[in-house]
């Protein structure tokens, strides 16, 4: 029952604690954070636990009364102990960044301010920080200075927003009002077989349809085959379809392959297609001198999707989409409603992010990007990314010089795909006929799958998996400023140790 003192705001101390209590909580939380980060290299990458054990460790009763903050921190320590440690230097699975301390503090400050970046009037300073930070990202990419963009939750939403703008730009005028029934012919989008599934998913959700996603062949280095791209576009035109978009990969998620942007741009111009670049994995490798030449033609892209929460080492969530022509994006996403109408403000102050993306409510993601770039600087970030590239190539050299591993795909950025191949099987494969070779490869697939699972359980190193052609591969990605060349050596040592245990 609410009493008079509560109505006067006198007894909500748990919701509005004193300055001294906030200071005590903050000091204790930062000490916990410091201890965790200081010991992360000594942790198992993956916990030895089960879903049931985690549930048993956590108090599952709905809390009716407050508990002490120190108890909450104890619970957090339990949670941390039972977590996969994404900041560990040998966490090579997926495309996983470690996060940074300065960005974690930025997230705390952003949540303290609790700005909602719908429009300038909702969060004036925060909106200006996001607009500035987007400008910095354009400069990093050497993208068109007239372009616009915004931060979103991640690469999937960035890709969807870009594809929505592409659809609106190339579809008939009444597409937004009447939907797909206004289309006299099927719209077609083109991408390599290595492209992330979020593009096909976006096509399905936007009404383009999965059947209208044309998967183009790749070459020996897993880059899009330009001849096959042109062939498929030409075939679709002859069949009466409407080609409207081609997607280029600035680093695929399976092998790290980087599509030839300049050649794709020429095809897009010739056929009047929207060119989108999925740079969610590899985009910020532009800061590394070794990768910078790959980006020479990115200015030609109509849209670019990026993930600062990948190779800017930021904690999730923080994706980004850029549009070369902001008015095309505005024509796609702007929607008038009286409760969002901006009244009596000049052009800069009338700015609304909801006109350029699918979200209305948006958290202050830009603060951690801004604090990281200012607090670390692009020179140090570029050096860390360059080191990641060197580590991946070091692993490739170790594998090629070994008797018991082989590469499954060439290393272009920081992703490496390989498999365990003991010498006896290597010799057998060399002398085998086609049937025997197929049987041996299937056995190797099965063994490497088991090796991957046991490596993850072992806890010293962590890899994920990939399918390269029709073969199973161990897959890793170096995306961590803590990772060293020695960690790449340890990874192979761990695999050999676990493989010996499995062979026994």
């Amino acid at each position: 029952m609410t009493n008079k003192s509560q109505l006067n705001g006198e007894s909500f101390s748990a919701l509005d604690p004193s300055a001294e209590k906030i200071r005590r909580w903050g000091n204790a939380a930062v000490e916990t954070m410091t201890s965790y980060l200081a010991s992360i290299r000594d942790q198992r990458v993956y916990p030895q636990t089960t879903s049931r054990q985690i549930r048993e460790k956590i108090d599952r009763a709905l809390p009716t009364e407050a508990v002490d903050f120190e108890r909450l921190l104890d619970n957090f320590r339990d949670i941390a102990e039972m977590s996969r440690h994404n900041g560990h230097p040998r966490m090579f699975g997926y495309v996983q960044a470690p996060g940074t301390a300065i960005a974690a503090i930025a997230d705390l400050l952003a949540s303290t301010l609790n700005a909602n970046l719908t429009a300038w009037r909702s969060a004036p300073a925060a909106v200006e920080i996001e607009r500035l930070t987007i400008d910095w990202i354009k400069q990093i990419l050497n993208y068109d200075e007239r372009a616009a963009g915004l931060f979103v939750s991640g690469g999937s939403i960035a890709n969807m927003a870009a594809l929505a703008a592409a659809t609106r730009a190339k579809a008939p005028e009444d597409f937004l009002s009447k939907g797909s029934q206004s289309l006299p012919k099927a719209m077609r989008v083109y991408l390599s077989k290595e492209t992330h599934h979020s593009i096909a998913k976006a096509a399905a959700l936007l009404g383009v349809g999965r059947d209208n996603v044309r998967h183009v062949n790749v070459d020996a280095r897993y880059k899009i085959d330009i001849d096959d791209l042109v062939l498929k576009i030409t075939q679709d035109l002859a069949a009466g379809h409407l080609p409207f978009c081609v997607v280029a990969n600035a680093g695929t998620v399976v092998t790290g392959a980087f599509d030839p942007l300049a050649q794709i741009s020429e095809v897009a111009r010739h056929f009047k297609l929207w060119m989108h670049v999925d740079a969610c994995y590899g985009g910020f490798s532009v800061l590394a001198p070794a990768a910078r030449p790959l980006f020479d033609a990115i200015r030609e892209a109509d849209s670019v999707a990026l993930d600062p929460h990948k190779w800017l080492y930021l904690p999730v969530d923080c994706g980004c989409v850029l549009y070369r022509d902001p008015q095309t994006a505005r024509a796609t996403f702007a929607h008038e409603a009286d409760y969002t109408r901006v009244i009596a403000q000049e052009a800069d102050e009338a700015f609304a992010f909801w006109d350029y993306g699918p979200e209305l409510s948006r958290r202050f993601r830009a603060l951690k990007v801004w604090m990281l770039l200012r607090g670390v600087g692009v020179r140090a970030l570029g050096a860390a990314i360059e080191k990641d590239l060197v580590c991946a190539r070091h692993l490739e050299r170790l594998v090629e010089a070994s008797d018991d591993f082989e590469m499954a795909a060439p290393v272009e950025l920081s992703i490496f795909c390989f498999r365990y191949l003991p010498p006896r099987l290597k010799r057998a494969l060399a002398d085998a006929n086609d049937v025997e070779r197929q049987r041996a490869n299937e056995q190797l697939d099965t063994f490497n799958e088991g090796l991957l699972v046991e490596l993850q359980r072992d806890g010293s190193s962590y890899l994920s998996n990939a399918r390269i052609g029709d073969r199973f591969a161990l897959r890793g990605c170096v995306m961590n400023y803590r990772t060293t060349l020695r960690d790449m050596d340890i990874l192979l040592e761990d695999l050999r140790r676990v493989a010996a245990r499995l062979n026994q």
Side-chain angles (χ1 to χ4, degrees), residues 145-317:
E145 59 275 7
R146 297 165 296 181
L150 71 164
F151 293 117
V152 294
S153 61
S156 293
I157 296 299
N159 280 327
M160 180 180 287
L163 198 62
T167 306
R168 168 64 182 82
K170 300 298 182 179
E173 285 294 322
D174 53 358
F175 176 76
L176 284 184
S177 57
K178 295 184 179 179
S180 57
Q181 67 181 8
S182 67
L183 299 175
K185 43 194 172 181
M187 299 186 74
R188 292 288 177 102
V189 55
Y190 304 85
L191 43 90
S192 90
K193 293 180 177 179
E194 297 294 304
T195 302
H196 193 269
H197 75 272
S198 61
I199 298 290
K201 185 175 182 178
L205 294 173
L206 292 169
V208 172
R210 283 194 178 93
D211 289 348
N212 292 314
V213 176
R214 296 281 269 156
H215 290 96
V216 180
N217 292 331
V218 293
D219 64 17
R221 295 187 64 85
Y222 301 98
K223 303 170 187 283
I224 195 168
D225 185 317
I226 297 296
D227 290 338
D228 192 50
L229 171 63
V230 172
L231 175 63
K232 283 184 166 60
I233 296 171
T234 304
Q235 289 173 339
D236 285 347
L237 285 170
H241 299 304
L242 177 60
F244 79 101
C245 179
V246 58
V247 178
N249 293 295
T252 62
V253 294
V254 175
T255 67
F258 205 110
D259 287 335
L261 301 187
Q263 290 177 268
I264 294 172
S265 173
E266 290 176 10
V267 173
R269 279 199 306 270
H270 178 77
F271 290 103
K272 298 181 172 57
L273 307 184
W274 180 285
M275 177 183 171
H276 173 62
V277 176
D278 181 352
C280 293
Y281 157 55
F284 288 105
S285 68
V286 69
L287 289 169
R292 196 167 296 138
L294 296 169
F295 291 84
D296 285 347
I298 201 165
R299 289 179 64 88
E300 304 302 318
D302 294 289
S303 56
V304 181
L306 301 129
D307 263 346
H309 67 211
K310 288 190 172 73
W311 233 333
L312 283 189
Y313 306 117
L314 289 170
V316 293
D317 61 3

Side-chain angles (χ1 to χ4, degrees), residues 12-264:
F12 293 107
S13 59
L15 292 172
D16 192 13
S18 67
E20 178 54 37
K21 182 175 283 189
I22 294 172
R23 189 174 294 112
R24 189 169 69 250
W25 288 355
N27 289 339
V30 169
E31 182 57 38
T32 300
M33 167 183 162
T34 302
S35 298
Y36 172 75
L37 293 177
S39 64
I40 197 164
R41 180 175 275 279
D42 302 321
Q43 304 293 326
R44 293 173 50 87
V45 185
Y46 197 75
Q48 285 182 320
T49 190
T50 65
S51 175
R52 181 176 179 177
Q53 288 171 338
I54 293 172
R55 292 197 302 268
E56 288 173 349
K57 191 90 171 178
I58 298 171
D59 187 352
R60 297 175 65 81
L62 177 67
T64 56
E65 302 296 335
V67 299
D68 185 73
F69 187 75
E70 184 54 44
R71 184 176 167 190
L72 295 179
L73 277 184
D74 285 340
N75 293 153
F76 171 78
R77 295 183 191 103
D78 289 338
I79 293 168
E81 183 180 338
M82 297 181 290
S83 296
R84 188 184 74 195
H85 300 294
N86 294 332
H88 192 286
R90 290 190 300 282
M91 171 56 200
F92 298 119
Y94 319 109
V95 184
Q96 179 64 60
T100 57
I102 194 169
I105 292 169
D107 269 344
L108 169 65
L109 296 175
S111 294
T112 300
L113 186 60
N114 196 29
N116 186 2
L117 279 69
T118 59
W120 192 93
R121 68 181 179 192
S122 302
V127 166
E128 292 298 342
I129 290 294
E130 179 157 345
R131 293 165 83 175
L132 171 62
T133 312
I134 291 293
D135 280 343
W136 287 349
I137 290 175
K138 286 156 45 182
Q139 291 175 47
I140 287 170
L141 284 179
N142 192 29
Y143 200 53
D144 194 320
E145 59 275 7
R146 297 165 296 181
L150 71 164
F151 293 117
V152 294
S153 61
S156 293
I157 296 299
N159 280 327
M160 180 180 287
L163 198 62
T167 306
R168 168 64 182 82
K170 300 298 182 179
E173 285 294 322
D174 53 358
F175 176 76
L176 284 184
S177 57
K178 295 184 179 179
S180 57
Q181 67 181 8
S182 67
L183 299 175
K185 43 194 172 181
M187 299 186 74
R188 292 288 177 102
V189 55
Y190 304 85
L191 43 90
S192 90
K193 293 180 177 179
E194 297 294 304
T195 302
H196 193 269
H197 75 272
S198 61
I199 298 290
K201 185 175 182 178
L205 294 173
L206 292 169
V208 172
R210 283 194 178 93
D211 289 348
N212 292 314
V213 176
R214 296 281 269 156
H215 290 96
V216 180
N217 292 331
V218 293
D219 64 17
R221 295 187 64 85
Y222 301 98
K223 303 170 187 283
I224 195 168
D225 185 317
I226 297 296
D227 290 338
D228 192 50
L229 171 63
V230 172
L231 175 63
K232 283 184 166 60
I233 296 171
T234 304
Q235 289 173 339
D236 285 347
L237 285 170
H241 299 304
L242 177 60
F244 79 101
C245 179
V246 58
V247 178
N249 293 295
T252 62
V253 294
V254 175
T255 67
F258 205 110
D259 287 335
L261 301 187
Q263 290 177 268
I264 294 172

Side-chain angles (χ1 to χ4, degrees), residues 51 162 237 373 426 451 463:
S51 175
L237 285 170
L373 292 174
K426 186 181 291 187
L451 178 59
L463 292 170

